[in-house]
Amino acid sequence: MTNRILVIVFFAVLFTFFACSEAEQKLEVYSPEAFAFNIGTEWELNASAQVKGFTQVEDEKEYSTKLSYYVNLITPSNETLEEIDYGMINRTSPEKLMDTQLEIQIVFDSTFAMGDYTLQIFVMDDLSDQQDSTQVKFTLAD
């Protein structure tokens, strides 16, 4: 009878532990957008993507997030320009965030050819070492 009670208590504790533990979030970069417009002799690219599933550390009723990113550009001639933009998002908030927006702005001079480009966006969660990427196409055209 004692062994039976121990087994029941063991499984109750095990069930409680797994039921109460948080599922690990998976970093996801999604909904990328990009558009370029002519500003005279140059082009300005505005791009964005949403990021969710990142780790947030709670400290004194504030949540901290730390994300790093870099951007590669694939030209119409299929040449890859690596890390044409990079940065970090250090954000604190009084509430836990569901997601955050990554915004990218790049100016291209007149040496960039007209045509279809691909922007590759790589994001790393510096608190959990997770990473994810996405890509989006845009066109430089008169």
Side-chain angles (χ1 to χ4, degrees):
M1 178 80 168
T2 305
N3 287 340
R4 192 178 218 179
I5 293 174
L6 287 175
V7 169
I8 291 171
V9 168
F10 173 76
F11 281 113
V13 169
L14 196 61
F15 175 77
T16 303
F17 174 76
F18 284 112
C20 294
S21 64
E22 257 185 61
E24 183 178 327
Q25 294 182 331
K26 185 174 187 287
L27 183 69
E28 182 181 352
V29 184
Y30 64 101
S31 296
E33 296 180 350
F35 61 93
F37 56 94
N38 192 323
I39 54 173
T41 60
E42 299 175 325
W43 288 88
E44 183 174 303
L45 171 69
N46 290 308
S48 66
Q50 294 296 115
V51 183
K52 68 179 181 180
F54 46 85
T55 300
Q56 298 177 67
V57 176
E58 185 179 10
D59 185 30
E60 297 182 19
K61 298 183 182 180
E62 282 198 332
Y63 293 90
S64 299
T65 303
K66 189 173 183 181
L67 303 172
S68 300
Y69 69 91
Y70 68 93
V71 178
N72 292 347
L73 181 70
I74 302 174
T75 67
S77 63
N78 214 25
E79 177 185 2
T80 301
L81 305 176
E82 295 185 1
E83 296 187 31
I84 62 163
D85 192 31
Y86 56 89
M88 184 171 275
I89 298 173
N90 274 332
R91 186 161 288 153
T92 58
S93 173
E95 296 178 0
K96 204 167 194 179
L97 299 173
M98 296 298 292
D99 62 1
T100 190
Q101 186 169 30
L102 170 64
E103 295 181 10
I104 300 161
Q105 189 174 35
I106 303 169
V107 175
F108 300 121
D109 63 24
S110 61
T111 62
F112 282 83
M114 299 295 153
D116 296 327
Y117 289 80
T118 301
L119 194 66
Q120 299 173 320
I121 304 168
F122 299 88
V123 178
M124 182 172 178
D125 182 344
D126 295 335
L127 298 175
S128 71
D129 289 333
Q130 291 188 74
Q131 49 191 337
D132 193 31
S133 63
T134 190
Q135 60 184 26
V136 62
K137 295 181 182 295
F138 68 95
T139 302
L140 295 184
D142 285 333

